[in-house]
Coordinates of all heavy atoms in Angstrom, one line a residue:
S431 N 164.4 -112.9 46.8 CA 165.4 -113.6 45.9 C 164.7 -114.4 44.8 O 165.1 -114.5 43.7 CB 166.3 -114.5 46.7 OG 165.5 -115.6 47.2
L432 N 163.5 -114.9 45.2 CA 162.7 -115.7 44.3 C 162.3 -114.8 43.1 O 162.5 -115.2 41.9 CB 161.5 -116.3 44.9 CG 160.5 -117.0 44.0 CD1 161.1 -118.3 43.4 CD2 159.2 -117.3 44.7
D442 N 166.0 -119.9 41.9 CA 166.3 -119.2 43.2 C 167.3 -120.0 44.0 O 166.9 -120.6 45.0 CB 164.9 -119.0 43.9 CG 165.0 -118.3 45.2 OD1 166.0 -117.6 45.4 OD2 164.1 -118.4 46.1
D469 N 165.9 -109.6 50.9 CA 166.1 -111.1 51.1 C 167.5 -111.5 50.9 O 168.0 -111.5 49.8 CB 165.1 -111.8 50.1 CG 165.2 -113.3 50.2 OD1 166.1 -113.9 50.9 OD2 164.5 -114.0 49.4
D471 N 169.0 -114.3 51.4 CA 169.3 -115.8 51.2 C 170.0 -116.3 52.5 O 169.6 -116.0 53.6 CB 170.1 -116.1 50.0 CG 169.2 -115.9 48.7 OD1 168.0 -116.2 48.8 OD2 169.7 -115.4 47.8
K503 N 171.5 -123.4 48.5 CA 170.2 -123.1 49.0 C 169.2 -123.3 47.9 O 169.4 -122.9 46.8 CB 170.1 -121.6 49.5 CG 168.8 -121.2 50.0 CD 168.5 -119.8 49.5 CE 167.7 -119.8 48.2 NZ 166.8 -118.6 48.0
R543 N 166.0 -115.8 59.9 CA 164.9 -116.5 59.4 C 165.1 -118.0 59.7 O 166.2 -118.6 59.4 CB 164.8 -116.3 57.9 CG 164.0 -117.3 57.1 CD 163.9 -116.8 55.7 NE 163.4 -117.9 54.8 CZ 163.2 -117.6 53.5 NH1 163.4 -116.5 53.0 NH2 162.7 -118.6 52.7
Ligands
MG702 MG1 164.3 -115.9 49.0

Side-chain angles (χ1 to χ4, degrees):
S431 69
L432 172 67
D442 181 19
D469 175 358
D471 288 320
K503 180 223 92 154
R543 163 170 167 177

